[in-house]
Amino acid sequence: MGRTRSFDLDDALDTAVEMFWRQGFEATSIQNLCQAMEIQPGSVYAAFGSKRELFVATVRRYVETVSADAAERLTGVESGLQGLRDYFAHLVDAMVEGKRRWGCLITNSLVELTQRDPELAGLLTEHLARLRAAFAAALARAAGDGELRPGAGPESAGLLVAVVQGMNVLAKTRPGRAELQAVADSALAGLTP
């Protein structure tokens, strides 16, 4: 009979999310992960199987927590335009004062791993598709309420995903609030009358 797990899986995943988010997959050793999670290597392998599988679990955890919160900002208010403004305001805050100063785990991983790991690339691309869908829903509400300029609408969702991905990369250079806010404001100004 196997031993009972003596650590909290959610706490371990949250710690691993931060490690991979800050350092990337390659630069994060299993030893560093074990030390940060305060778990023995054997327990990590027993719980997750491999460093790659732990990484996949952290990506899923990130999507369930950080990304779900972002999508809620887009869809949690009646006004589509207000949802977009709330999303970008929170994004800028997180890039200046929070963990998004490390960029985005999804964006960072796309840059680092997609050429080498098609399965993981699919998981990351799935996330971008969900973000695009959340933007499209907010844009559809905004267009329906007359908050957007003629010709702007759900088809602009891909543009907003590209802006966010660019901001995620830019955040790693610590550009400051004014520069990040100017990017967000410009993106929304191109959609509004």
Side-chain angles (χ1 to χ4, degrees):
M1 182 171 189
R3 291 180 18 173
T4 303
R5 184 177 296 144
S6 62
F7 62 91
D8 183 276
L9 194 58
D10 289 333
D11 289 345
L13 280 173
D14 289 341
T15 300
V17 165
E18 287 195 25
M19 294 288 294
F20 285 125
W21 194 353
R22 266 187 292 174
Q23 299 174 181
F25 179 78
E26 290 297 332
T28 304
S29 71
I30 198 72
Q31 292 81 10
N32 294 137
L33 286 162
C34 290
Q35 184 177 17
M37 293 187 294
E38 299 178 355
I39 302 171
Q40 294 299 313
S43 296
V44 172
Y45 290 119
F48 301 104
S50 68
K51 177 182 164 184
R52 182 190 177 278
E53 292 308 311
L54 172 58
F55 183 73
V56 168
T58 63
V59 168
R60 291 185 194 288
R61 178 78 170 175
Y62 181 91
V63 169
E64 291 168 3
T65 56
V66 176
S67 297
D69 177 64
E72 176 61 28
R73 289 180 191 289
L74 288 167
T75 59
V77 294
E78 258 185 64
S79 163
L81 185 57
Q82 189 58 51
L84 293 167
R85 287 183 177 134
D86 290 352
Y87 174 89
F88 279 102
H90 178 72
L91 184 65
V92 169
D93 283 345
M95 288 175 168
V96 174
E97 301 167 3
K99 294 176 183 174
R100 284 299 271 267
R101 67 187 178 277
W102 305 324
C104 166
L105 178 62
I106 302 298
T107 306
N108 297 347
S109 300
L110 280 165
V111 171
E112 181 181 9
L113 300 171
T114 54
Q115 296 301 313
R116 294 182 308 197
D117 193 328
E119 181 184 351
L120 187 56
L123 177 65
L124 299 170
T125 303
E126 227 176 83
H127 165 72
L128 294 181
R130 284 193 294 275
L131 179 59
R132 184 179 295 110
F135 276 136
L139 288 162
R141 286 195 327 277
D145 292 341
E147 297 176 317
L148 301 181
R149 67 170 172 72
E155 63 279 358
S156 300
L159 168 69
L160 294 181
V161 170
V163 168
V164 169
Q165 296 312 303
M167 290 176 72
N168 285 327
V169 173
L170 185 61
K172 294 181 81 158
T173 70
R174 313 265 197 218
R177 182 176 299 279
E179 187 174 340
L180 290 166
Q181 192 62 57
V183 171
D185 290 347
S186 295
L188 293 179
L191 300 172
T192 55

